[in-house]
Amino acid sequence: AHAGWRGLVGTDGIGVLEATVAALRAAVDRDADKGKGKGELLAWLGPCIGPERFEVGSEVKAAFEAHDPAASVCFKAGRADRWLADLPALARQRLAALGVAGVHGNDGSAGWCTVGNPLRFHSYRRDQRSQGGSGRMAACIWVD
């Protein structure tokens, strides 16, 4: 599932992660009904703009806090009426609330920041002028 802040916050507290987890749980339940057993859900967070680079307005902070006041810890004051948002931390909060057993990958550290690592990651925000905004990343997921 891919979510920027809008997809993560969703509408009325239901965003991309809530919808994805619900769909996966339904699939797991269908498999369990067929005798295939029931596993736990795990998540892996990929790279994204890091918490030292993602500046948002107060309306973004308010949208997350409206769903869960604890989201406030994922925001630091930025410059004049702006906030630095920690997207990986916000995603981890939502996944924990959904009962996802383990979350791996992006922990919000500098090594996962797409903006701060031009030799490793594409960043639309960083590259839109110099490269026309083009560029892609992919992740592969499989089950043994």
Side-chain angles (χ1 to χ4, degrees):
H2 175 266
W5 78 262
R6 286 178 184 84
L8 190 57
V9 79
T11 303
D12 297 324
I14 306 298
V16 170
L17 294 180
E18 287 81 7
T20 301
V21 168
L24 290 171
R25 286 214 167 104
V28 166
D29 289 345
R30 280 191 304 275
D31 284 348
D33 291 343
K34 296 175 187 171
K36 293 185 180 179
K38 194 167 186 172
E40 61 185 20
L41 293 180
L42 302 174
W44 183 83
L45 301 179
C48 69
I49 187 169
E52 298 301 321
R53 305 281 186 131
F54 189 43
E55 194 173 61
V56 299
S58 294
E59 74 284 358
V60 175
K61 182 176 184 281
F64 280 99
E65 292 172 338
H67 170 69
D68 182 0
S72 65
V73 300
C74 300
F75 293 88
K76 289 190 330 188
R79 9 175 222 129
D81 297 328
R82 305 290 288 169
W83 297 91
L84 294 172
D86 188 339
L87 284 178
L90 289 161
R92 286 173 181 274
Q93 274 188 339
R94 293 189 91 127
L95 290 165
L98 291 165
V100 173
V103 181
H104 306 277
N106 190 340
D107 59 5
S109 61
W112 289 95
C113 179
T114 54
V115 174
N117 292 290
L119 296 178
R120 189 169 185 201
F121 302 121
H122 166 74
S123 169
Y124 178 83
R125 282 176 183 83
R126 183 192 62 232
D127 300 334
Q128 64 185 335
R129 287 196 182 122
S130 66
Q131 298 176 12
S134 182
R136 303 289 180 264
M137 289 189 286
C140 297
I141 302 167
W142 65 93
V143 177
D144 282 337

